[in-house]
Amino acid sequence: MKVATLGTGAMGRTVIEHLLKCPDVTGITAYDPSPESLERAAMAGAAAVTDNLEGILSNPEIRAVFITAANGAHHDLAVASLRAGKAVMCEKPMATSLEDATAMVEEAERLNGFLQIGYELRYSKLYSTIKRWIDEGHLGEVRNIQCNYICGEFWGRQSWRVQLAKAGSMFGEKLCHYVDLPRWWIGSDVTEVYTLSSPNVVPYYEVRDNYHTTCRFANGAASHLTFMMPFASTSKTDPLQDMIDQQKDDGHELRYLIMGSKGGASTNLFRREIKRWTYGEDERGFTSTIVDEVTWKPEEDHCFFHNTQDQAHDIIRRIRDGLPPRLSPRDALETMKICIAADLSVELERAVAIEELSYGAAVL
C-alpha cells in the first residue's frame, strides 16, 4: 500500500519512521510547502517528497494519508483527502473549531470514508492496562479519576504550538489526550465541564500554560485534570542517560488515580509503574489492598506511553482489511467538545454544559 504524510515536521517524520517498519506499506510520499521540511523528510526515509498536494490527492495508487500538519490545517486537508477517496488518519486535535471538526465527521459519514483521529494513548500499554482491568470487572464502576500532569516548558518560543492562530489552544493541542482517557475508561458521556486557569507564567505563550478542569459524566462519575506546564525543571537532558530517570525527581509528574466501586488503580509514568487495589471490609471497616503491579523497562517506553507506532500499523491493517477506525470520528468529536468547553469555561468563568456548545462559541 502506498501512503502519504501531509506535513513533515517532527510528528510527520516520526510517522514516516513508523510506516517504514510496516510490511504493508510499499512507498511513502511526503508533502509540505517548506523545502527545508521536505529535505528532512527525505532524510527520514520518504521515497518521494513534493509540495504539490493535488498530485497526491489525484494519485489513485496512494490509498491513505496521515495528516501531521499544524492544527489549523487539519480540516481542509482532511476534507480534501476524504473527497479524493483517501483513507485519513489525522493527528489530534481534529480541528481548531467545533464547526470544522463536525464538518470533518459529517464528510466522512457522507462518503462512507475512513477517518481516525490520533489518540494514540488508547494504544499505549500504560493506559490500555487500566482499560483491561475495568473491562474484566476488577474496579467495578469507575466513579472518580484524578490526573496530575506537571512538566517544564519544552516547546520554546519559536514553536507554532505556542501561537493561538496555529495551535488553537493548549487544551486541544496537548491536553485532549488526558480528558479522552477518562471518557474511554468510564464509558459515559461528559455532560458538564468547569475549568479555572490562572494568568500565565511563561511570558511568550499565547496559549494557556495551566488548567484545573473538572468533568461531570452522565452516569454520575467525575474526573479532574490538574495541568501546570512551567513548574518542573527545564533542562537539557543528557542524551546518554535515560530521560525519565533524569526528570522523575525534578518536579515532573504524570499520574492518574482511578477509583472504582470495587477497586482502584494508578498509573505513574515517571516511576514506570501501574498498580491496582481491591476493596473489602474487616472488623474495623473499609479496606484497600494492593493486588497487582506492572512495571516496564526503559526500552519499552514507547509502547507503554505514546504508542504512535502500533497506532500507525493498526490503521494500515484496518485500511487493508476494510475495517472501520478503532476510534470512530463521532467518538473523537466528543473529546473535542470537552476541549472546547474547557476553554470556554475559563472565558465565561462558569461551568459549561456540553449541550450548550454552538458553532459560534466553539473555537479552540
Side-chain angles (χ1 to χ4, degrees), residues 141-146 186 220-224 257-261 265:
E141 181 181 298
V142 178
R143 295 178 176 171
N144 206 312
I145 296 176
Q146 167 72 38
I186 292 172
S223 69
H224 185 83
L257 299 173
I258 304 102
M259 185 175 70
S261 59

Side-chain angles (χ1 to χ4, degrees), residues 221-330:
S223 69
H224 185 83
L225 166 67
T226 293
F227 174 77
M228 294 189 292
M229 187 172 215
F231 177 81
S233 296
T234 302
S235 60
K236 294 181 179 179
T237 55
D238 184 345
L240 298 180
Q241 298 184 50
D242 178 72
M243 183 182 71
I244 290 179
D245 284 343
Q246 292 178 77
Q247 293 182 336
K248 66 183 179 183
D249 292 318
D250 69 358
H252 282 82
E253 183 178 9
L254 183 44
R255 187 182 185 198
Y256 274 99
L257 299 173
I258 304 102
M259 185 175 70
S261 59
K262 294 172 57 178
S266 71
T267 69
N268 194 329
L269 172 69
F270 287 95
R271 298 296 173 186
R272 289 192 177 96
E273 66 180 20
I274 316 168
K275 292 183 178 181
R276 180 169 67 85
W277 287 256
T278 189
Y279 302 152
E281 288 189 41
D282 59 17
E283 62 280 359
R284 175 190 171 277
F286 188 88
T287 63
S288 180
T289 306
I290 295 176
V291 292
D292 206 348
E293 185 170 357
V294 178
T295 60
W296 67 93
K297 299 177 181 179
E299 55 266 28
E300 299 176 284
D301 279 345
H302 181 81
C303 66
F304 268 88
F305 193 35
H306 280 285
N307 195 357
T308 49
Q309 179 168 299
D310 282 354
Q311 175 183 253
H313 289 195
D314 178 57
I315 287 171
I316 292 296
R317 287 192 295 269
R318 288 174 178 273
I319 296 167
R320 180 198 67 192
D321 297 340
L323 299 174
R326 177 172 172 177
L327 170 70
S328 75
R330 285 282 168 188

Side-chain angles (χ1 to χ4, degrees), residues 32-231:
D32 201 291
S34 165
E36 294 80 8
S37 291
L38 290 178
E39 183 178 349
R40 289 193 288 269
M43 294 176 62
V49 297
T50 181
D51 60 2
N52 180 9
L53 177 61
E54 185 54 39
I56 289 176
L57 298 182
S58 62
N59 185 344
E61 293 186 354
I62 296 177
R63 292 181 56 190
V65 298
F66 285 69
I67 298 174
T68 52
N71 302 341
H74 287 184
H75 166 269
D76 290 353
L77 290 174
V79 170
S81 299
L82 287 165
R83 290 175 179 172
K86 310 300 183 188
V88 177
M89 181 275 179
C90 180
E91 285 297 327
K92 53 72 193 164
M94 297 179 73
T96 55
S97 74
L98 183 57
E99 182 175 11
D100 281 352
T102 303
M104 290 166 61
V105 174
E106 292 176 346
E107 195 68 7
E109 292 175 345
R110 183 181 73 84
L111 296 169
N112 195 28
F114 184 103
L115 173 62
Q116 181 165 331
I117 307 303
Y119 286 107
E120 72 273 3
L121 295 192
R122 294 199 186 196
Y123 288 86
S124 300
K125 291 183 179 180
L126 178 59
Y127 303 117
S128 62
T129 298
I130 301 296
K131 176 64 171 170
R132 175 171 58 81
W133 285 344
I134 293 170
D135 290 345
E136 291 173 351
H138 297 304
L139 273 61
E141 181 181 298
V142 178
R143 295 178 176 171
N144 206 312
I145 296 176
Q146 167 72 38
C147 178
N148 289 335
Y149 185 6
I150 317 298
C151 60
E153 201 291 278
F154 50 78
W155 282 334
R157 66 180 71 248
Q158 302 303 320
S159 173
W160 62 264
R161 291 177 172 85
V162 309
Q163 303 171 30
L164 278 172
K166 293 184 178 181
S169 84
M170 174 71 77
F171 222 104
E173 162 58 26
K174 189 162 190 65
L175 302 184
C176 54
H177 284 304
Y178 305 101
V179 291
D180 181 68
L181 287 172
R183 281 191 59 243
W184 187 41
W185 291 333
I186 292 172
S188 177
D189 290 335
V190 171
T191 59
E192 189 177 44
V193 179
Y194 181 58
T195 299
L196 294 173
S197 180
S198 69
N200 276 10
V201 172
V202 183
Y204 51 84
Y205 266 34
E206 296 177 12
V207 298
R208 295 185 178 93
D209 64 14
N210 70 95
Y211 287 89
H212 297 272
T213 297
T214 300
C215 295
R216 184 192 303 276
F217 290 77
N219 68 353
S223 69
H224 185 83
L225 166 67
T226 293
F227 174 77
M228 294 189 292
M229 187 172 215
F231 177 81

